[in-house]
Amino acid sequence: MLDRDSLILTVVMAILGFLVCTAVLAGRAEREQAAPRQAELVRLIDDRRSLVADLDQAVERLRADVFRARTRVNRNDVRDREAARVAAQLAEQAGTVPLTGRGLVVELAPSKRQPPSQQEAGAYQIHDRDLQLVVNALFASGAEAVAINDSRLVSTTPIRSAGGTIVVNFRPLSPPYKVHAIGAERRRFEASEIARRFRRWTNLFGLGFELREERRVEVPAYTGRVTISSATPAPGGARPAPEPDPSKAAGGR
Amino acid sequence: MLALAGLIIGALVALLLQPSVPAETTRYVAMGMVAAVDAAFGGTRAYLDRTFNDRVFVLAFASNAAVAAGLVWLGDQLAVDLTTAVVVVFGVRIFQNLAALRRRLFGG
């Protein structure tokens, strides 16, 4: 009787060992499957981001090389020298050369406070519209070159939001948003509507708004395409575009 | 002693064969395991108490595992996490059986 019992006990214990091991292996396999997929994606995104940054740097370097080579070639002829001077001036205006000078640094950050309700959450964030208004006000106060988080603004630069993140020059930015503006005057910017509004919002919603005057503000070169393509009217005329809804554009404030 | 040998042999077989479990059933298998471990301890205790009944043991082993897995599955269907219930109940029982085993073996 005892032998039969111990045999059954042994067999069932063997089954138990088998099952426990199976469960452990399965659980480990599942965890391994879930974790690396996310890590893989993060790695992929990081890889592409650093690749883009490398290419940006290469563009900047090559443009500087081209500029130097052209200046050297054009040194001998008076007319060529004049053309090089114009080209340098245009490059400065187009934003394809980095600039340094006296200016303002404006730092915008979303609020650290907890919004009281889901509907009011928008008031505690920085929107693309806020950045647009700040940048416009900076240009209006005399800025010659502006960059947001080291992304140079040129005349064709869009500042848009894409699903909660602000995209400048088609690159996503993350807060805080540091706006560097060379040549902007502090007094004129502080008198602007958006600056006064931000002072109020800082008290009301706790938005980050910092304004510094700096002797040496650096603005990098624009590294995107500088070729401009234009749209032509469709044959037969087009319907006028619908007016944007101003209440939606205001960002819920 | 034989029971321990059986346990090790079973584990080795699993390690050698590397059986695959569908990902969505892993949770249920794990809960069934907790119940089965309890049954194994209970069986060992009964064996040392000389009250071992093979039919009761095999039935307890199979039914505990099945009910634990089924309960968790039911909880998932009802969006209630019943894994805690299974873990608490069988966890307490495992420790009770373990205490009984210790008393029996060392007379503590």
Side-chain angles (χ1 to χ4, degrees), chain A residues 1-2 4-23 25-27 30 33, chain B residues 2-3 6-7 10-11 13-15 18-19 21 23 26 29 33 36-37 40 44 47 50 52 54 57-58 61:
Chain A
M1 192 61 195
L2 246 179
R4 211 175 93 88
D5 285 354
S6 55
L7 188 72
I8 287 177
L9 196 62
T10 308
V11 170
V12 173
M13 283 304 229
I15 295 172
L16 177 71
F18 178 79
L19 289 177
V20 167
C21 250
T22 305
L25 287 174
E30 194 190 21
Q33 229 170 31
Chain B
L2 268 172
L7 197 68
V13 169
L15 284 173
Q18 299 269 342
V21 176
T26 312
V29 173
M33 279 322 90
V37 167
T44 312
Y47 181 76
R50 313 242 172 237
F52 186 80
D54 52 358
F57 176 54
V58 172
F61 184 84

Side-chain angles (χ1 to χ4, degrees), chain A residues 110-140:
Chain A
S111 175
K112 289 191 183 83
R113 290 184 206 163
Q114 195 66 37
S117 71
Q118 200 62 42
Q119 281 132 355
E120 286 175 76
Y124 292 77
Q125 298 287 325
I126 301 290
H127 296 272
D128 51 346
R129 179 122 181 108
D130 300 327
L131 266 180
Q132 287 166 12
L133 288 171
V134 164
V135 166
N136 284 348
L138 283 168
F139 275 121

Side-chain angles (χ1 to χ4, degrees), chain A residues 152-243:
Chain A
R152 176 73 173 267
L153 301 189
V154 294
S155 47
T156 52
T157 296
I159 302 175
R160 292 205 197 109
S161 70
T165 45
I166 295 182
V167 177
V168 173
N169 283 333
F170 306 108
R171 307 274 158 75
L173 303 183
S174 50
Y177 306 102
K178 282 185 185 162
V179 187
H180 292 252
I182 294 175
E185 278 176 44
R186 189 186 183 123
R187 202 156 345 127
R188 276 164 76 188
F189 178 70
E190 274 186 336
S192 70
E193 176 73 26
I194 184 71
R196 277 186 287 147
R197 262 196 248 167
F198 253 106
R199 293 259 181 245
R200 206 161 60 236
W201 291 338
T202 302
N203 287 330
L204 278 175
F205 307 110
L207 291 179
F209 179 71
E210 251 181 72
L211 182 62
R212 283 196 308 275
E213 200 166 6
E214 278 184 17
R215 203 168 283 203
R216 199 182 143 82
V217 175
E218 279 178 48
V219 170
Y222 175 67
T223 51
R225 278 164 61 97
V226 282
T227 336
I228 294 174
S229 53
S230 58
T232 48
R239 278 169 301 171
E243 282 283 307

